[in-house]
Amino acid sequence: MTRKKNRNALLKTLLVAVCGLFASCVSTKNATYFNNVNDTAVQRIAGNFEPAIQQNDILQITVTSLNPQEALLYNVPNAANSGATATTGAAPGSGFLVDAAGNIQYPVFGSIRAAGLTTKVLADTIRTRFEQRQLLVDPVVNVRFLNFRVTMLGEVSKPAVITVTSEKISIMEALGMAGDITVYGKRENVMLIRDKDGTRTVKRLNLNDANILSSPYYYLQPNDIVYVEPTKSKVAQADRSRQVLPVILSSISLLVIILDRLVIK
């Protein structure tokens, strides 16, 4: 009985040792955000970070006025826009597609330039046209994105495509919705991929640095992709698991056989 207990104790020791081979130390400094931020620090974000409308965006445009019956005409997208919205997840007929030329096709007014404008500027443009042609009494125009989405990939707890209903989201909010970065993610080297006006930009962000709070990339834009790279310890752990684990398991099996024979003797 004593030998059997000794054997069990030895096996437990071996298992603890094996687990230790795959454990890696993570620097607390690298696992926290905003390491160099001071108490009551004020970070001013320069510039306007309202997202600009781009090609292939889908817009919801609603019009109200003192003559609501006449305003109904301008709240129904045309057939060409209806087909486009269905392919992107929006309900058929629910939005206006920004075409390859950067325009939308709007009732009565025809082609209106949209790409490069904010939703507020486009709304003001449409409202001005109503007033100039005296089509509606005191028109109020609202423009919203129907396809504002950001994608979170890599070492986050819940990789996902996030739909942004408020039309404003920071990278920290997006990470929170994705379950935060895992302990194996590089907070100091987060990749942001952004397509704008036919140009793809890749930016590396250091979330350990408090300067991210005033960065022009702090707020995300529609269709941004955020990729969190794994640390070297995560990659090394995976490689070590594939290479060393079979050898360790074989060694443990051999030791168990030897221990069994010793107990029998």
Side-chain angles (χ1 to χ4, degrees), residues 186-259:
K186 289 184 178 180
R187 286 169 172 78
E188 75 283 4
N189 194 25
V190 175
M191 182 188 299
L192 173 63
I193 304 172
R194 175 172 294 173
D195 288 341
K196 186 175 182 180
D197 300 328
T199 302
R200 180 165 296 153
T201 302
V202 178
K203 178 67 177 178
R204 301 279 181 170
L205 305 176
N206 182 1
L207 303 186
N208 292 145
D209 191 342
N211 288 326
I212 187 65
L213 297 174
S214 58
S215 167
Y217 296 95
Y218 181 71
Y219 286 105
L220 301 179
Q221 299 285 322
N223 303 314
D224 276 358
I225 299 174
V226 177
Y227 173 67
V228 182
E229 294 184 358
T231 59
K232 290 182 179 179
S233 60
K234 175 64 178 292
V235 177
Q237 183 186 57
D239 289 341
R240 189 162 59 241
S241 298
R242 288 193 296 267
Q243 297 174 8
V244 179
L245 187 58
V247 176
I248 293 176
L249 293 177
S250 298
S251 301
I252 291 176
S253 299
L254 179 60
L255 286 172
V256 170
I257 293 173
I258 293 173
L259 288 171

Side-chain angles (χ1 to χ4, degrees), residues 98-135:
V98 182
D99 61 26
N103 303 319
I104 60 171
Q105 299 302 316
Y106 198 75
V108 180
F109 300 145
S111 181
I112 298 178
R113 182 68 181 177
L117 307 179
T118 64
T119 54
K120 182 180 183 303
V121 172
L122 178 58
D124 290 341
T125 299
I126 296 174
R127 178 180 53 79
T128 299
R129 293 201 181 191
F130 279 122
E131 293 174 342
Q132 290 174 342
R133 299 181 61 171
Q134 299 181 346
L135 295 173

Side-chain angles (χ1 to χ4, degrees), residues 14-201:
L14 288 172
L15 289 175
V16 172
V18 171
C19 293
L21 290 174
F22 300 102
S24 58
C25 297
V26 179
S27 170
T28 303
K29 184 177 181 180
N30 291 335
T32 57
Y33 299 108
F34 321 132
N35 288 318
N36 56 340
V37 68
N38 298 319
D39 290 342
T40 67
V42 177
Q43 298 285 342
R44 182 177 297 277
I45 301 178
N48 179 13
F49 298 103
E50 289 186 67
I53 299 170
Q54 301 183 50
Q55 298 173 1
N56 299 318
D57 276 341
I58 301 171
L59 307 174
Q60 179 188 62
I61 303 175
T62 56
V63 180
T64 57
S65 75
L66 294 180
N67 45 347
Q69 292 301 320
E70 295 182 11
L72 288 176
L73 169 66
Y74 306 100
N75 290 313
V76 181
N78 60 34
N81 291 320
S82 301
T85 57
T87 62
T88 57
S94 62
F96 292 85
L97 173 69
V98 182
D99 61 26
N103 303 319
I104 60 171
Q105 299 302 316
Y106 198 75
V108 180
F109 300 145
S111 181
I112 298 178
R113 182 68 181 177
L117 307 179
T118 64
T119 54
K120 182 180 183 303
V121 172
L122 178 58
D124 290 341
T125 299
I126 296 174
R127 178 180 53 79
T128 299
R129 293 201 181 191
F130 279 122
E131 293 174 342
Q132 290 174 342
R133 299 181 61 171
Q134 299 181 346
L135 295 173
L136 296 173
V137 179
D138 292 333
V140 176
V141 180
N142 289 293
V143 180
R144 295 178 59 85
F145 288 100
L146 287 178
N147 66 326
F148 194 141
R149 296 186 295 268
V150 296
T151 303
M152 309 300 293
L153 298 173
E155 283 298 322
V156 292
S157 298
K158 298 181 292 184
V161 177
I162 299 171
T163 299
V164 184
T165 57
S166 64
E167 299 186 4
K168 184 178 182 181
I169 187 171
S170 70
I171 188 169
M172 304 310 298
E173 289 175 300
L175 287 171
M177 296 177 72
D180 201 4
I181 299 176
T182 70
V183 293
Y184 295 111
K186 289 184 178 180
R187 286 169 172 78
E188 75 283 4
N189 194 25
V190 175
M191 182 188 299
L192 173 63
I193 304 172
R194 175 172 294 173
D195 288 341
K196 186 175 182 180
D197 300 328
T199 302
R200 180 165 296 153
T201 302

